[in-house]
Amino acid sequence: MLTPSLEDYLEEIYRFSLSLDTVRVTDISNRLKVALPSVTKALYKLRDQNYIKYERYGEIQLTDKGKEYGLYLVTRNQLLQEFLALICSKCNFAAEAEAMEHYLSTVTIDAIKTLVDFMKNNPSWQQAFNDFMDLKARKNC
């Protein structure tokens, strides 16, 4: 099991791997706004747990395990942002999803996915909820 911090590193490595041939320590450092030694330390931990292949000053490559878990992390983040939009939250979806994602259990994530899927497949229920939220907002003015 990865710590929230290591999940963030793996998620970014996965995101980079989708568009770059080579993922570099500096890419991760810049994206996560952390020092290069912190990235290197995290990479060794991810390597030791078989999520990536990495040697000092070398390329970072995801293992099959890293690709699978990286996809899960990205999908989880997207799901939480979609959920926040669905419930008409007036927040920064990306920041809120980031705050939520590491602290929700898998069963809760699965329940949120079920709700999101249900609302997508039942637009009349989604519309009824949106109407309710609009009415509530007007009453609070």
Side-chain angles (χ1 to χ4, degrees):
M1 180 118 176
L2 296 179
T3 64
S5 176
L6 288 177
E7 283 187 348
D8 287 341
Y9 283 101
L10 184 59
E11 185 176 347
E12 289 309 319
I13 293 167
Y14 181 82
R15 286 181 195 277
F16 277 123
S17 75
L18 297 175
S19 59
L20 298 175
D21 292 332
T22 303
V23 181
R24 301 186 189 287
V25 173
T26 53
D27 297 327
I28 300 164
S29 173
N30 292 333
R31 176 74 54 91
L32 294 177
K33 297 177 177 62
V34 294
L36 291 171
S38 297
V39 175
T40 302
K41 185 176 177 182
L43 293 176
Y44 286 129
K45 289 178 182 179
L46 289 169
R47 183 194 66 188
D48 292 347
Q49 294 183 50
N50 197 34
Y51 288 99
I52 62 169
K53 293 177 184 174
Y54 173 72
E55 294 301 325
R56 191 172 184 164
Y57 305 116
E59 293 181 3
I60 302 163
Q61 296 178 326
L62 290 164
T63 62
D64 288 342
K65 179 181 175 181
K67 289 176 188 173
E68 183 179 326
Y69 200 58
L71 174 60
Y72 167 78
L73 295 172
V74 168
T75 303
R76 177 181 69 183
N77 183 278
Q78 291 168 340
L79 171 68
L80 291 173
Q81 289 190 49
E82 192 172 351
F83 170 71
L84 292 166
L86 178 92
I87 62 170
C88 306
S89 180
K90 304 283 190 256
C91 66
N92 176 320
F93 296 159
E96 195 80 4
E98 177 64 29
M100 294 168 61
E101 65 188 2
H102 303 296
Y103 301 102
L104 297 175
S105 67
T106 303
V107 292
T108 299
I109 296 290
D110 291 343
I112 289 170
K113 181 173 181 359
T114 299
L115 177 64
V116 169
D117 289 345
F118 175 82
M119 292 300 225
K120 282 181 179 176
N121 290 308
N122 294 280
S124 63
W125 285 68
Q126 179 65 55
Q127 188 59 53
F129 178 77
N130 291 345
D131 293 346
F132 175 78
M133 292 298 287
D134 290 342
L135 180 62
K136 184 177 176 189
R138 284 193 298 269
K139 284 183 179 181
N140 289 335
C141 292

